[in-house]
Amino acid sequence: MYPNILGFDMKIRLSVKISLISVIGMALASTAGIFVTYGVHTTLAGTYAETRVVGAAKNASEPLSQSFLSVENLVRESRAASEIYFPDIDSTAAYDPQSSSVAALRSIFNATSTLAKYVSNYWLVLNPEYCGTTPTDEEGKGFFMVSSDGTNYTNHAVTNITKYDEDNPEDVAHITWWIQAKEGKSTWLKPYYNANTGQSLISYVEPFNDASHNILGVVGVDLDFHNIVTDVMQQHEFQDDHVFLINGDGTVAYHPDLEVFDADGRYIGTQDTYAESMSRREGIRHGENEDVFFYRYRNVDRVSTTVPLGNNMSYGISVARNELYSPFIRASTIPLMIYFFTTIVLGLGLFFLLRYWFRPLQELSKGADSVAHGDLNVKIEKKSDDEIGKLATAFEGMVNALRTERSAMSALAFQDGLTGVKNKNAHKEKVEQLNLEIKEGTARFACVMCDVDELKTINDTRGHAAGDQAIRGACLMICHTFKHSPVYRVGGDEFIAILEGEDYDNREALFLRLSLNNKTDESGLFHFSVGMATYQPGLDGSFADVSERADTAMYLMKRKNKEE
């Protein structure tokens, strides 16, 4: 570590700190005022947004709720009439499709069905247990009136319940309404596809009973769910909003981002629940109203809520938060902006004034501390020609001199003094890098081991100068062969080349050239042995595995050279 050569006077530092503390106190007080004001404003804006989105949902859902209520009244009146015309089991067993009672029930349905929107079908089906319907009958007993436009009704075959198995999923699509109604309760069915009529529907059904509470039959009305969705899609009170419908069990009945109809327009629904869908939204939180959610979706902050429709479904709406806020923001922004702007201008003025006064001293102080701890990546920007500027220039010169000295020392630590190639320290770093690449599965290299033959004999018989010349000659030949790869001297007479890039691609030809030209000088008296191994994924777990095979190959060549 270097000594702190820039011992600044403590009085200067103390005066800087006192001034900074004073200004920071003023800044904190102003900032606190800004945050308090902003917090109150944000809370009021959130409450305003909640009120608007809930009001919009209630207003938009009211016509749909009224339609569902009308359907319930229609079915309820028809059920009461059915109990009059079919008072007991005997009356259902004596069912006559041409009877006046059946005609009267049809008339009641027909007269009232046009009063409710979205009505597609109305029907009465008698319980096969009492009316005598069997699986061999072509259809059940009752009537089933179907309309494509809600005004003109035609007869449709009445579903023969006995032909279908309630435990068979494929059959359930034909008798969903019966499965629900036979429990003896009036109920709304969530959206489904009716395979008998080829329609996507929601239905309201009520069973009618005799005095002994036997279920004699079921009356019901089907609503065209496709038309309901079409109307919902067209409801836009805001520029950036979308509407969705939730079933009573929490599953999503319709959402513009979900495919609930197949390519043929048949309703297929989804198992995705509203709660699960909302849990995937970014930054979701409840509003003051538990049915209101604030969240971020597709890079837009949004507010969402749901209101009940009265048929076990809920009507939901999601609106861009900015659009909900906009009236409130327009009314309150100007006073707040004046306050914020004044505070910010004053704060920035103080900040830049202090920065101009004290930043050069602070930078020099930090730079001196960094140098004292050995960090020479320090750069002091000269901003003036006064005493501080001259001190900054001197400081920069000193750091540059220290950096140059350190670079020279570092180069010596990783360079071989005799040959000029990289030494064992550099090779150690390279091995660590290659092992990491092997672990990550990105390694691609070959290892060439080189050893000067009979170096001890050369030193003993011809002198160390000849030995050094043999080492330099071998190094020169290796470097000339593998021009694009690092070469390391890792021992007195041993070199390692790590073949990469172009040398790796041409390794076989280059290695053959080196093997045939393995003389260290023109006399041919000195030569060296070489061996190569290529990294093989799955076989080699580390660089050591590759270098060991290259070392073995080199010693085989050395033995051959001795025999020759």
Side-chain angles (χ1 to χ4, degrees):
M1 301 303 173
Y2 300 101
N4 188 351
I5 58 173
L6 298 180
F8 284 104
D9 190 281
M10 292 303 296
K11 291 182 179 180
I12 296 178
R13 294 193 179 190
L14 182 60
S15 63
V16 171
K17 291 180 179 178
I18 292 174
S19 300
L20 284 175
I21 291 172
S22 300
V23 174
I24 289 173
M26 295 168 57
L28 288 175
S30 299
T31 303
I34 290 176
F35 277 107
V36 169
T37 305
Y38 178 76
V40 172
H41 182 265
T42 301
T43 301
L44 293 175
T47 302
Y48 180 80
E50 288 188 40
T51 303
R52 286 197 74 193
V53 74
V54 171
K58 289 181 178 179
N59 292 337
S61 65
E62 184 60 26
L64 196 54
S65 291
Q66 288 299 322
S67 294
F68 293 151
L69 180 60
S70 297
V71 168
E72 289 184 6
N73 292 333
L74 165 62
V75 174
R76 196 167 292 116
E77 292 174 4
S78 301
R79 183 208 65 197
S82 299
E83 290 179 344
I84 294 173
Y85 290 115
F86 296 99
D88 51 36
I89 293 176
D90 293 337
S91 64
T92 62
Y95 170 78
D96 179 2
Q98 303 301 324
S99 68
S100 59
S101 59
V102 173
L105 283 173
R106 277 203 187 103
S107 298
I108 293 173
F109 263 113
N110 194 55
T112 56
S113 61
T114 57
L115 301 178
K117 192 176 181 181
Y118 306 118
V119 172
S120 179
N121 314 318
Y122 61 83
W123 42 268
L124 179 148
V125 180
L126 296 179
N127 189 340
E129 182 180 352
Y130 302 129
C131 71
T133 304
T134 66
T136 59
D137 293 330
E138 186 175 346
E139 60 180 284
K141 293 182 178 180
F143 58 82
F144 193 175
M145 306 302 294
V146 178
S147 172
S148 60
D149 57 9
T151 55
N152 299 310
Y153 290 91
T154 59
N155 281 307
H156 188 280
V158 177
T159 303
N160 185 347
I161 302 168
T162 62
K163 289 185 176 182
Y164 301 102
D165 182 1
E166 296 179 14
D167 296 324
N168 185 340
E170 294 183 0
D171 288 355
V172 169
H174 297 268
I175 55 172
T176 301
W177 50 273
W178 170 251
I179 295 173
Q180 296 289 332
K182 75 173 186 174
E183 295 181 2
K185 296 180 181 180
S186 303
T187 184
W188 276 98
L189 306 184
K190 68 180 186 178
Y192 66 99
Y193 176 72
N194 189 320
N196 293 333
T197 63
Q199 296 170 307
S200 298
L201 307 169
I202 57 174
S203 302
Y204 181 67
V205 298
E206 287 196 7
F208 61 91
N209 313 313
D210 62 9
S212 300
H213 301 291
N214 297 309
I215 299 177
L216 302 182
V218 179
V219 292
V221 168
D222 301 331
L223 277 65
D224 190 323
F225 188 63
H226 203 282
N227 287 344
I228 293 174
V229 168
T230 300
D231 281 359
V232 166
M233 291 172 61
Q234 295 174 354
Q235 292 177 347
H236 293 288
E237 186 171 340
F238 303 91
Q239 291 184 354
D240 185 1
D241 66 1
H242 61 258
V243 174
F244 52 93
L245 298 173
I246 309 299
N247 290 315
D249 60 2
T251 56
V252 178
Y254 162 73
H255 192 285
D257 291 343
L258 298 178
E259 295 292 338
V260 297
F261 294 96
D262 65 13
D264 296 324
R266 294 176 296 193
Y267 186 77
I268 55 176
T270 175
Q271 295 302 312
D272 200 11
T273 68
Y274 179 58
E276 292 171 347
S277 176
M278 293 305 296
S279 68
R280 295 191 293 268
R281 300 297 188 252
E282 180 183 350
I284 184 170
R285 64 178 177 85
H286 279 289
E288 295 180 7
N289 184 330
E290 286 295 316
D291 293 326
V292 176
F293 293 94
F294 291 80
Y295 60 95
R296 188 169 182 82
Y297 182 59
R298 293 182 177 175
N299 298 321
V300 177
D301 292 322
R302 308 190 71 84
V303 184
S304 175
T305 192
T306 58
V307 294
L309 286 172
N311 69 327
N312 293 331
M313 297 181 75
S314 295
Y315 180 99
I317 185 172
S318 175
V319 186
R321 190 171 66 180
N322 287 342
E323 193 170 353
L324 290 170
Y325 283 177
S326 56
F328 180 85
I329 297 298
R330 283 195 297 268
S332 59
T333 296
I334 294 179
L336 284 174
M337 289 300 296
I338 293 174
Y339 174 72
F340 289 164
F341 180 76
T342 303
T343 304
I344 290 172
V345 168
L346 290 176
L348 288 175
L350 287 171
F351 171 77
F352 285 112
L353 183 61
L354 283 174
R355 185 179 182 184
Y356 177 78
W357 283 345
F358 300 123
R359 186 174 180 182
L361 289 176
Q362 290 174 330
E363 289 183 353
L364 284 172
S365 178
K366 291 180 181 178
D369 289 339
S370 297
V371 173
H373 289 85
D375 181 11
L376 299 182
N377 294 318
V378 177
K379 184 172 180 62
I380 302 298
E381 183 179 353
K382 179 181 176 182
K383 297 181 179 180
S384 63
D385 293 324
D386 56 13
E387 287 76 7
I388 295 178
K390 293 177 181 178
L391 184 59
T393 301
F395 180 85
E396 186 70 18
M398 178 200 68
V399 172
N400 288 336
L402 292 173
R403 194 181 294 128
T404 301
E405 180 182 348
R406 175 181 284 185
S407 298
M409 294 175 63
S410 177
L412 291 175
F414 290 93
Q415 186 178 37
D416 179 57
L418 177 62
T419 63
V421 297
K422 298 180 179 182
N423 63 11
K424 187 180 292 186
N425 292 331
H427 177 256
K428 182 179 179 182
E429 286 193 352
K430 183 65 175 178
V431 169
E432 291 176 355
Q433 175 193 334
L434 291 174
N435 283 334
L436 179 60
E437 292 176 2
I438 291 172
K439 184 177 180 181
E440 294 175 346
T442 59
R444 185 175 179 269
F445 68 92
C447 174
V448 176
M449 304 287 288
C450 307
D451 191 274
V452 179
D453 295 334
E454 304 296 340
L455 180 63
K456 185 176 184 305
T457 301
I458 295 172
N459 286 333
D460 293 343
T461 59
R462 297 176 178 272
H464 285 280
D468 290 347
Q469 182 61 35
I471 292 171
R472 284 193 292 267
C475 180
L476 183 63
M477 182 64 69
I478 296 166
C479 292
H480 180 73
T481 302
F482 305 119
K483 297 179 181 180
H484 307 290
S485 301
V487 177
Y488 306 86
R489 184 185 178 199
V490 295
D493 57 355
E494 188 175 358
F495 295 87
I496 294 179
I498 308 297
L499 306 192
E500 300 172 327
E502 185 178 333
D503 289 348
Y504 176 84
D505 295 336
N506 301 304
R507 59 189 180 279
E508 299 296 343
L510 294 175
F511 180 75
L512 179 61
R513 183 194 304 170
L514 183 64
S515 301
L516 298 175
N517 298 278
N518 64 337
K519 306 299 187 291
T520 65
D521 65 354
E522 295 180 356
S523 67
L525 297 176
F526 308 145
H527 52 81
F528 55 88
S529 300
V530 293
M532 182 177 72
T534 301
Y535 166 69
Q536 299 181 28
L539 175 64
D540 300 318
S542 66
F543 175 80
D545 295 336
V546 185
S547 63
E548 184 177 342
R549 287 192 280 110
D551 196 55
T552 300
M554 179 196 71
Y555 275 104
L556 289 176
M557 182 176 182
K558 184 179 286 288
R559 185 183 304 165
K560 181 180 178 182
N561 289 341
K562 285 184 179 181
E563 292 174 355
E564 294 176 353

